Amino acid sequence: MASTLSSLFGSQPARIAVKFVDADSREVVTTKPSDGRGAPEQQYLFSATDNVIGTVEVTVNSSKRLEHQGIKVELIGQIELLHDRSNTYEFTSLVRELEVPGELYGSKTYPFEFTNVEKQFESYDGINCRLRYFLRVTVMRQYGKVVHEENFRVHVSTNEPEANNTIKMEVGIEDCLHIEFEYNKSKFHLQDAVLGKIFFLLVRIKIKHMEIAIIKRESTGTGANTFNETETVAKFEIMDGAPVRGESIPIRMFLGGHDALTPTFRNVNNKFSVKYFLNLVLIDEEDRRYFKQQEVTLFRK
């Protein structure tokens, strides 16, 4: 946030604060890294087309003067692979020079503007990777430098897909079980509801209950260095008790209450992908599990 300091007085010769020009009206979101490697952080939210405009305030420690080799602000879009922390990948990097080399006393404020910046990817905090946008302010000095990074969030909206076919599948065990199920569509926005129906055509095993789960699969790296992480984002029980032949069970699961859901990401900058699956699970009285999985696409409206 704008009040974040690059350092406390005494440990650095200056502190840096960034403030966005529309901070009072801009939406703020709380990020919760799913990997558990960081504390929740509040960040200002930008769309893919928003300009990034604001001010940088540099305050010199006490009454001293600060000699510097120039001051700059950079807008950076970066992908970090958490299993390879030595490498980061910048897909956006823009620089604005704020001050030529000289001396600073007291406090000075510099305006900056990044307009018409293409922010093509959405911010993402995953298990093995993170995609983030931030402003990096650097006061360059002959010996050491003062640096402050200000994270901000980007959401990328897309249009409703023109083609959105229903999903129809079957689950079967020869002479024991035959189920048909369908979902009303295959592409869902993040506030959508999954609607569907399950038809029991043959039931000769004692089913205890049935549930539907949303499975998230994150893939990073390539070839032999590919890392896959799978987690259950949401689970919803749709039946408790034994069904009979000819019975049908409705499905209605709302997506809006699950903060861990993100849009589907397909090969972002050749670094990572995130896919989602609807997993239908039947559990019999002996706790045997029967399931059928179907990939779906999630998007942000």
Side-chain angles (χ1 to χ4, degrees):
M1 303 292 290
S3 61
T4 303
L5 305 183
S6 62
S7 60
L8 298 175
F9 281 137
S11 59
Q12 286 283 359
R15 66 176 180 177
I16 300 169
V18 173
K19 184 173 182 179
F20 296 109
V21 69
D22 52 1
D24 293 338
S25 59
R26 184 166 292 279
E27 183 180 351
V28 174
V29 296
T30 301
T31 67
K32 299 178 181 179
S34 59
D35 62 351
R37 292 187 173 96
E41 177 186 355
Q42 287 192 314
Q43 298 178 9
Y44 287 105
L45 179 62
F46 288 77
S47 75
T49 57
D50 283 347
N51 295 325
V52 182
I53 302 172
T55 59
V56 171
E57 182 181 35
V58 181
T59 303
V60 180
N61 188 353
S62 187
S63 59
K64 300 177 182 179
R65 67 183 176 90
L66 177 66
E67 294 185 7
H68 64 86
Q69 305 299 312
I71 302 172
K72 65 180 180 179
V73 58
E74 302 166 86
L75 189 156
I76 297 173
Q78 184 181 85
I79 296 174
E80 303 172 3
L81 299 181
L82 301 181
H83 55 77
D84 185 11
R85 291 179 175 272
S86 61
N87 288 321
T88 57
Y89 306 90
E90 294 183 2
F91 55 86
T92 294
S93 181
L94 301 170
V95 182
R96 300 287 184 268
E97 300 293 339
L98 301 179
E99 184 77 281
V100 297
E103 297 181 348
L104 276 181
Y105 299 87
S107 179
K108 189 170 182 179
T109 299
Y110 306 91
F112 67 85
E113 288 190 12
F114 292 97
T115 57
N116 301 318
V117 179
E118 183 182 13
K119 300 180 286 297
Q120 59 180 317
F121 304 127
E122 176 152 332
S123 300
Y124 176 70
D125 290 298
I127 297 174
N128 279 327
C129 66
R130 176 168 70 157
L131 189 152
R132 69 180 183 119
Y133 292 86
F134 60 97
L135 296 172
R136 178 191 290 145
V137 181
T138 306
V139 179
M140 292 166 284
R141 305 175 67 220
Q142 186 173 1
Y143 302 104
K145 56 188 177 182
V146 184
V147 179
H148 169 69
E149 292 185 355
E150 185 80 18
N151 292 310
F152 62 92
R153 205 77 179 170
V154 171
H155 282 176
V156 179
S157 300
T158 57
N159 296 325
E160 191 93 26
E162 293 183 7
N164 199 345
N165 299 325
T166 59
I167 298 174
K168 294 185 178 182
M169 291 190 298
E170 296 184 5
V171 176
I173 303 172
E174 189 174 358
D175 297 328
C176 294
L177 180 69
H178 187 190
I179 295 174
E180 290 182 351
F181 64 95
E182 63 180 45
Y183 301 117
N184 62 326
K185 50 190 175 181
S186 55
K187 300 172 184 177
F188 303 87
H189 63 77
L190 296 181
Q191 302 299 317
D192 215 336
V194 178
L195 305 177
K197 189 169 289 188
I198 300 171
F199 303 93
F200 293 89
L201 305 180
L202 176 64
V203 184
R204 290 180 178 168
I205 58 176
K206 294 182 178 180
I207 298 175
K208 185 167 59 175
H209 71 266
M210 182 186 306
E211 63 190 27
I212 185 172
I214 303 175
I215 307 297
K216 174 182 174 181
R217 184 175 301 156
E218 175 190 287
S219 301
T220 57
T222 56
N225 295 319
T226 299
F227 293 81
N228 292 306
E229 295 285 351
T230 301
E231 62 176 318
T232 301
V233 176
K235 190 179 293 185
F236 181 69
E237 187 174 278
I238 55 178
M239 187 196 71
D240 186 11
V244 296
R245 180 178 179 179
E247 190 172 0
S248 66
I249 304 292
I251 298 173
R252 182 185 296 268
M253 182 170 66
F254 295 96
L255 304 180
H258 303 291
D259 294 337
L261 290 176
T262 70
T264 296
F265 297 121
R266 301 191 186 281
N267 199 25
V268 175
N269 211 44
N270 295 318
K271 296 294 181 267
F272 74 93
S273 299
V274 177
K275 297 180 180 180
Y276 287 92
F277 301 84
L278 292 177
N279 195 33
L280 182 68
V281 182
L282 290 80
I283 303 173
D284 67 16
E285 291 187 343
E286 297 180 10
D287 287 328
R288 289 177 296 198
R289 301 168 69 88
Y290 312 90
F291 65 91
K292 189 76 170 183
Q293 196 171 87
Q294 174 64 40
E295 183 177 356
V296 294
T297 299
L298 301 186
F299 64 95
R300 188 182 300 280
K301 289 183 68 174

